[in-house]
Amino acid sequence: MNKSFDAIVVGSGPNGLAAAITLQMAGVEVLLIEGQHEVGGGLRTKELTLPGFLHDVCSAVHPMAIHSPFFAALPLEQFGLRYLHSPVTLAHPFSATEAAGIVASLEDTAASFGADKQAYLDLIGSVVERWPRIINDLLRPLRFPKDPFALAGFGLKALQPASQIVKRFATREARGIWAGMAGHSIRSLDGWATASIGLVLNAAAHIKGWPVPAGGSQSIAKALSDYFVSLGGVIETGTMVERIEELPPAKAFVFDVTPRQLLRIAGHRFSSFYRWQLERFRYGMGVFKIDWALRAPIPFGATLCRQAATLHLGGTFEEISFSEKQNEMGHAVSKPFVLLAQQSIVDPQRAPDGQHTAWAYCHVPHGSNQDMTAAIENQVERFAPGFKELILARHTMNARQMESYNPNYVGGDIGGGIINLSQLYTRPSFRLTPYRTSDKQIFISSSSTPPGGGVHGMCGYHAARTVLKDIFHKKDNLDL
């Protein structure tokens, strides 16, 4: 391009978009470059199966988007973003007719667990109560917290393995719900800090819920990109950056990529020690994903399941724990933990009249090319007999295909790298400000930086704040 820019952002996932917006709002002229022909990264919606059936290619349900302090500070509703909620936030079946669920009311959910009512209130209620005092600290790099006592109360539980926290519960229902929540950590539930993801997502369900965006996940990316352009930002799509020398001159370069891509693009400009740190960065389990076009809604027998846009399919805590442990050890399982979304029950525009879509994935060993179609469909059929007869068409992606679609999904890892004790806040390297690299012009803003995976834009926001301070000697206009 002939025009010069102050900063160039590479990658238009939620973090790349957040970085670009933050910089542009501060008066920095930004060029946002995307390798695909449309923006979004994991926020894309396509007709993957049949005409008229809209499927979320990657992310589908967005608890962290609606809770994001950064997204909340932007006028995204003016750019078409609208969230939809199902009557039941989450359902977790144990048979074709039995299920546990989470609804908006903390008290009602706790009461549904019977003997575990107080244990649930003590565990999740304490996070809900502390949420306004800890959310900003949870979604930023490690710093001295604004309310150290509130954060310490959360941290004492969050750093534990999910398998330790589950001992607080006696009922199958509460234990199963907890397994599904902690399963979002994409790790064996015996791992340290796996409780952190479960606590945050569980509490979020009672605060603002787990919504789906009307029209598909692409609507989040569209609202963000349209807002960026309205500020004067420029977007160039269809340009895959292989070397930093291919980019126009700029004062700062911000990369919404993981360490592996950053090393390929700009590794020759880094110190040997920083390269060594990035090379040691660890990635986690992959995923196998299916999208279905259905002639009717999934025929769950349990009412809770028919009313929930999001479901966790895997049965008991012990079943889910076994599945996740085997995958982490490199062994695929016949009864995987399946995360399923049926967006069309709350968003009819996803499918032709009377028909439906469904979206699901399971965790698999890193880099696996194994076809898990039958295993996933058997799990759905287990809890919804007759499901297979409703399938009109399907689209699948194994872990390697996920990486081919989006290079940030290394080995099929959709979280930007494993979240364990050594990479919880020291991702991608052990630095006080992890968005800086050893080259003063180059910054990293992906989910491989704090606070990690999820559609919230906070990695990009904090990276952009670092750029503004280091390069442009400015403050951001949001100061979240």
Side-chain angles (χ1 to χ4, degrees):
M1 301 185 72
N2 294 326
K3 179 177 171 55
S4 63
F5 294 88
D6 298 321
I8 295 175
V9 177
V10 177
S12 70
N15 289 309
L17 286 162
I21 288 170
T22 303
L23 292 169
Q24 193 72 37
M25 289 180 71
V28 175
E29 291 194 344
V30 180
L31 169 63
L32 176 62
I33 297 179
E34 167 57 44
Q36 300 292 334
H37 291 288
E38 63 281 318
V39 300
L43 295 170
R44 294 196 179 104
T45 305
K46 295 180 179 291
E47 293 181 333
L48 296 176
T49 56
L50 298 172
F53 289 84
L54 299 177
H55 303 279
D56 290 322
V57 182
C58 299
S59 61
V61 181
H62 296 283
M64 296 317 295
I66 198 170
H67 289 87
S68 167
F70 176 73
F71 290 170
L74 307 181
L76 298 182
E77 67 284 349
Q78 296 176 24
F79 291 83
L81 181 59
R82 183 166 58 95
Y83 291 115
L84 304 172
H85 296 264
S86 53
V88 175
T89 302
L90 171 89
H92 187 119
F94 295 95
S95 70
T97 57
E98 301 171 296
I102 292 180
V103 296
S105 169
L106 176 67
E107 284 285 343
D108 290 349
T109 301
S112 72
F113 296 137
D116 281 326
K117 175 181 177 179
Q118 193 57 49
Y120 186 83
L121 289 174
D122 290 343
L123 180 66
I124 305 303
S126 65
V127 183
V128 171
E129 188 274 329
R130 291 186 175 104
W131 188 272
R133 292 176 284 152
I134 65 174
I135 182 60
N136 281 5
D137 286 314
L138 293 178
L139 295 179
R140 72 175 195 173
L142 191 61
R143 294 288 188 275
F144 190 79
K146 293 181 179 179
D147 189 330
F149 295 105
L151 192 63
F154 170 82
L156 289 173
K157 303 182 186 77
L159 294 178
Q160 295 183 48
S163 58
Q164 181 65 29
I165 293 291
V166 78
K167 295 176 182 179
R168 295 166 175 256
F169 299 123
T171 65
R172 175 189 64 172
E173 289 73 17
R175 290 169 61 86
I177 286 285
W178 174 246
M181 289 295 182
H184 284 265
S185 64
I186 321 181
R187 290 185 57 208
S188 167
L189 302 190
D190 293 330
W192 288 95
T194 47
S196 61
I197 304 298
L199 290 172
V200 168
L201 291 179
N202 210 148
H206 294 298
I207 299 168
K208 292 184 180 179
W210 288 21
V212 299
S217 295
Q218 185 77 44
S219 63
I220 300 177
K222 186 177 186 305
L224 288 167
S225 60
D226 286 354
Y227 180 57
F228 171 63
V229 171
S230 77
L231 296 171
V234 177
I235 298 175
E236 178 183 325
T237 59
T239 300
M240 189 65 73
V241 177
E242 298 295 338
R243 300 270 293 181
I244 193 170
E245 286 77 15
E246 300 168 4
L247 297 173
K251 296 176 182 177
F253 301 91
V254 184
F255 289 91
D256 181 12
V257 300
T258 78
R260 183 172 297 182
Q261 292 81 51
L262 188 61
L263 282 168
R264 186 186 72 243
I265 295 168
H268 57 288
R269 289 183 48 169
F270 298 148
S271 69
S272 58
F273 179 64
Y274 187 68
R275 285 199 305 272
W276 175 78
Q277 287 183 305
L278 295 188
E279 287 165 355
R280 295 180 70 251
F281 187 78
R282 290 183 57 200
Y283 295 91
M285 289 187 274
V287 302
F288 183 96
K289 179 176 175 286
I290 304 183
D291 290 281
W292 296 282
L294 304 173
R295 68 176 79 253
I298 299 176
F300 289 109
T303 301
L304 286 171
C305 295
R306 294 194 300 272
Q307 295 179 341
T310 307
L311 296 97
H312 291 158
L313 310 181
T316 64
F317 178 91
E318 288 73 21
E319 288 179 273
I320 293 173
S321 180
F322 175 80
S323 171
E324 298 303 274
K325 188 168 187 175
Q326 290 299 306
N327 280 317
E328 190 165 273
M329 294 170 61
H331 311 303
V333 295
S334 59
K335 291 185 176 181
F337 168 49
V338 175
L339 301 95
L340 183 143
Q342 42 186 6
Q343 303 97 310
S344 56
I345 69 167
V346 293
D347 191 7
Q349 65 181 309
R350 302 291 186 99
D353 287 348
Q355 298 176 311
H356 285 265
T357 62
W359 166 107
Y361 72 90
C362 71
H363 301 143
V364 295
H366 180 86
S368 171
N369 63 358
Q370 184 162 344
D371 187 343
M372 297 294 290
T373 302
I376 290 176
E377 291 184 351
N378 287 340
Q379 282 288 65
V380 183
E381 184 79 16
R382 170 185 172 188
F383 302 110
F387 163 73
K388 294 180 182 180
E389 298 172 10
L390 302 179
I391 299 173
L392 298 171
R394 68 172 63 82
H395 176 273
T396 67
M397 284 196 292
N398 64 33
R400 291 185 184 177
Q401 291 167 330
M402 291 292 289
E403 182 176 354
S404 295
Y405 170 75
N406 186 338
N408 275 354
Y409 299 154
V410 177
D413 178 356
I414 60 175
I418 192 169
I419 297 181
N420 55 20
L421 282 181
S422 66
Q423 289 189 176
L424 186 62
Y425 282 104
T426 58
R427 45 196 295 130
S429 61
F430 186 72
R431 285 173 165 252
L432 184 62
T433 304
Y435 314 103
R436 295 182 180 125
T437 70
S438 63
D439 186 302
K440 293 183 178 181
Q441 279 190 297
I442 300 173
F443 301 81
I444 180 171
S445 68
S446 70
S447 57
S448 297
T449 65
V455 177
H456 44 64
M458 296 300 290
C459 307
Y461 166 71
H462 288 298
R465 291 190 74 194
T466 305
V467 175
L468 289 172
K469 177 182 177 182
D470 289 5
I471 304 297
F472 300 102
H473 310 292
K474 295 182 177 183
K475 282 191 170 184
D476 71 278
N477 291 340
L478 295 174
D479 195 26
L480 304 181

